[in-house]
Amino acid sequence: MLTGRVFVLRVTPDQDAALAQFSGVCRAVWNTGLAQRRMARQDHRWVNYPQQCKELADVKTDPELAWVGDAPGHVLQQTLKDLDAACRSVGTWKVHFRSKFRWSASMRFPEGKRMRVQRVSKRWGQVNLPKLGAVKFRMTRELDGSIRSATVRRVDGHWQISFLVEDGVLEIAPPYSDLRPPVGVDRGVKVALGLSDGRMLDQQFTSRREQDRVAGLQRRRARQQGPRAKPSKQQQRQDPKVRCRRQEPSQRYLRTRARIAVVHAKQRRRRDDFLTKTARTLAREHSLIVLENLNTKGMTSRAAAKPDPDQVGHHLPNRAAAKSGLNRAILGKGWGKFVLVLAHQARSTGAQVVVVPPAFTSQRCHQCGHTSKDNRESQAVFHCTGCGHTANADVNAARNILAAGHAVTGRVRPEQSGSVNHQAA
């Protein structure tokens, strides 16, 4: 079974500069290849990986583009392979260019068989990478398998290496005769996870003191010279459509941004730790795990503008601030990553992960099946207007999710849970 092993790299100044240069070349190859594909599509032609790979070899012979050859050749070829796979998966026009300011530097070394990994001390190991030599990393665990590839990326100001390892463990198919109980999971913004057995799983990923610190640093960053310069009032009078221009950010701005990133990195590590441990526990204790099929990307999009029909150029209130707060709460709980981690953990335990439609799960009474928006008195209280049943809103929703999962899998006959897609009363 393919699995990942992530470690922190300890690079020398020369290796750090080389990695930054390699990532820049990979970004340039990606953007050039994508631009070439888009131009070909406009002319109703196709450009595939073999053609671009041949052109890449010709580019290296050009004296003016000799810097392309500074990066390892198979790393650049892997970049073109990833571009080809992305274009075939979602379409050429939906693949994005990699921005120098927003893209996280990364590169993949595909030849895992040629990598020699050895432990040099109790805590440190080293791996040989092309054109980098021996690179040390914090070896917190053994690889336990053969290396297929390695990806180096920059995270929170330092480099990480992720080994793709074939550990030899067979993936366990979901056994329908498993004696472990099933469970339904409802994801929320106040409480991260509400389970159908009554458990509420949550953790505070950031303290009030850290929030105030980040807010103060963000206000300081807003007063400093950033990478974008606003047009002057005279420029706005001359051209109302003038936009912000690029400029070199100040050193104070970069230091403040780095301090903000340190706090956010701590929060992200706490959230990832909670999601991984929780997913591992659920995959071990339950044979069936049922979730809602939530469109997290669509739910966290910004509020759409509401033009005022009476005044041209004006807009009506759209509660953008409240929507932004809800988006931060959803993203802060890690809804999307929890599904990915749970699916990964279920491979080794044989648990079956099922997603069901989310319609009316929070408005339907699990006892009588009565569905009404008035049943949800508040964020945490559910009181059925039909039978008078009272319960925690997240637990009631989780039980409805579990009943829908039973109906999908056909394991047992769902109790009085009602139809999944019927309209609210």
Side-chain angles (χ1 to χ4, degrees), residues 84-132:
D84 184 74
C87 293
R88 291 179 182 273
S89 176
V90 299
T92 304
W93 298 103
K94 292 186 179 181
V95 179
H96 299 287
F97 290 98
R98 291 179 173 177
S99 171
K100 178 181 178 181
F101 301 95
R102 300 175 60 183
W103 174 63
S104 179
S106 65
M107 68 212 76
R108 188 190 305 183
F109 297 84
E111 297 182 355
K113 295 181 180 180
R114 298 186 179 182
M115 297 179 188
R116 296 194 307 270
V117 177
Q118 58 181 350
R119 183 180 290 275
V120 296
S121 65
K122 183 178 179 180
R123 296 184 177 181
W124 294 95
Q126 71 178 15
V127 56
N128 293 332
L129 297 177
K131 295 190 177 184
L132 291 174

Side-chain angles (χ1 to χ4, degrees), residues 8 29 56 77 91 97 108 118 122 154 163 172-173 189 193 200 204 256 275-276 283 308 322 366 386 395 400 403:
V8 178
V29 170
L56 177 63
Q77 294 174 3
F97 290 98
R108 188 190 305 183
Q118 58 181 350
K122 183 178 179 180
R154 194 173 186 88
F163 293 103
I172 302 176
V189 294
L193 303 174
M200 308 294 291
Q204 191 70 21
T256 304
L275 295 177
T276 302
D308 190 351
H366 176 70
V395 174
N400 290 329

Side-chain angles (χ1 to χ4, degrees), residues 192 201-206 270-271 273-275 278 333:
L201 306 179
D202 193 22
Q203 180 177 329
Q204 191 70 21
F205 305 131
T206 176
R270 294 171 190 154
R271 180 170 57 249
D273 180 74
F274 167 77
L275 295 177
T278 303
K333 294 299 182 181

Side-chain angles (χ1 to χ4, degrees), residues 122-413:
K122 183 178 179 180
R123 296 184 177 181
W124 294 95
Q126 71 178 15
V127 56
N128 293 332
L129 297 177
K131 295 190 177 184
L132 291 174
V135 183
K136 289 186 177 181
F137 63 93
R138 184 67 179 270
M139 200 169 185
T140 54
R141 61 169 299 177
E142 299 295 335
L143 295 181
D144 297 329
S146 59
I147 302 176
R148 299 286 295 272
S149 66
T151 301
V152 178
R153 60 176 181 171
R154 194 173 186 88
V155 180
D156 302 329
H158 60 268
W159 295 97
Q160 288 183 353
I161 185 169
S162 176
F163 293 103
L164 181 63
V165 178
E166 176 61 52
D167 56 7
V169 179
L170 297 179
E171 184 173 348
I172 302 176
Y176 293 98
S177 60
D178 201 328
L179 298 179
R180 292 176 297 174
V183 66
V185 181
D186 178 67
R187 288 165 284 177
V189 294
K190 291 294 184 181
V191 180
L193 303 174
L195 307 184
S196 57
D197 55 9
R199 289 181 293 170
M200 308 294 291
L201 306 179
D202 193 22
Q203 180 177 329
Q204 191 70 21
F205 305 131
T206 176
S207 63
R208 184 63 184 177
R209 183 176 180 180
E210 289 179 340
Q211 294 177 0
D212 296 339
R213 182 186 178 189
V214 170
L217 290 174
Q218 289 175 341
R219 288 192 294 268
R220 180 187 302 179
R221 183 183 61 180
R223 297 190 298 267
Q224 295 169 344
Q225 177 179 331
R228 291 179 178 271
K230 294 183 179 180
S232 62
K233 294 183 178 180
Q234 182 179 0
Q235 292 176 342
Q236 291 180 350
R237 287 194 297 267
Q238 295 176 356
D239 186 5
K241 296 183 179 180
V242 65
R243 297 182 179 180
C244 297
R245 58 181 177 84
R246 289 280 186 183
Q247 66 179 5
E248 288 296 329
S250 64
Q251 294 299 321
R252 292 182 179 181
Y253 177 90
L254 295 178
R255 287 196 295 267
T256 304
R257 188 179 64 177
R259 295 176 64 181
I260 296 175
V262 169
V263 182
H264 286 165
K266 291 182 180 179
Q267 300 173 5
R268 182 168 58 254
R269 287 194 295 268
R270 294 171 190 154
R271 180 170 57 249
D272 294 346
D273 180 74
F274 167 77
L275 295 177
T276 302
K277 291 180 178 179
T278 303
R280 184 64 175 173
T281 301
L282 294 178
R284 284 178 174 178
E285 296 179 352
H286 303 280
S287 61
L288 174 65
I289 306 173
V290 189
L291 303 167
E292 292 177 299
N293 187 15
L294 300 178
N295 182 12
T296 307
K297 183 177 180 180
M299 295 174 64
T300 54
S301 60
R302 65 174 59 185
K306 295 182 178 180
D308 190 351
D310 299 331
Q311 299 181 8
V312 179
H314 294 266
H315 294 80
L316 298 175
N318 60 345
R319 302 187 63 184
K323 185 63 171 64
S324 299
L326 177 62
N327 295 346
R328 287 192 299 268
I330 293 176
L331 297 175
K333 294 299 182 181
W335 286 8
K337 189 165 187 178
F338 174 72
V339 179
L340 297 178
V341 176
L342 184 61
H344 173 72
Q345 297 292 342
R347 297 189 305 163
S348 58
T349 63
Q352 184 180 12
V353 181
V354 178
V355 293
V356 298
F360 309 117
T361 54
S362 61
Q363 300 178 4
R364 184 185 308 112
C365 177
H366 176 70
Q367 295 292 330
C368 66
H370 175 67
T371 304
S372 174
K373 62 180 181 180
D374 298 332
N375 292 343
R376 190 79 178 261
E377 290 188 354
S378 63
Q379 187 276 331
V381 178
F382 181 89
H383 181 76
C384 180
T385 58
C387 66
H389 173 67
T390 303
N392 183 278
D394 295 335
V395 174
N396 178 81
R399 291 173 179 172
N400 290 329
I401 295 171
L402 178 59
H406 281 157
V408 171
T409 58
R411 287 195 175 190
V412 295
R413 182 184 181 89

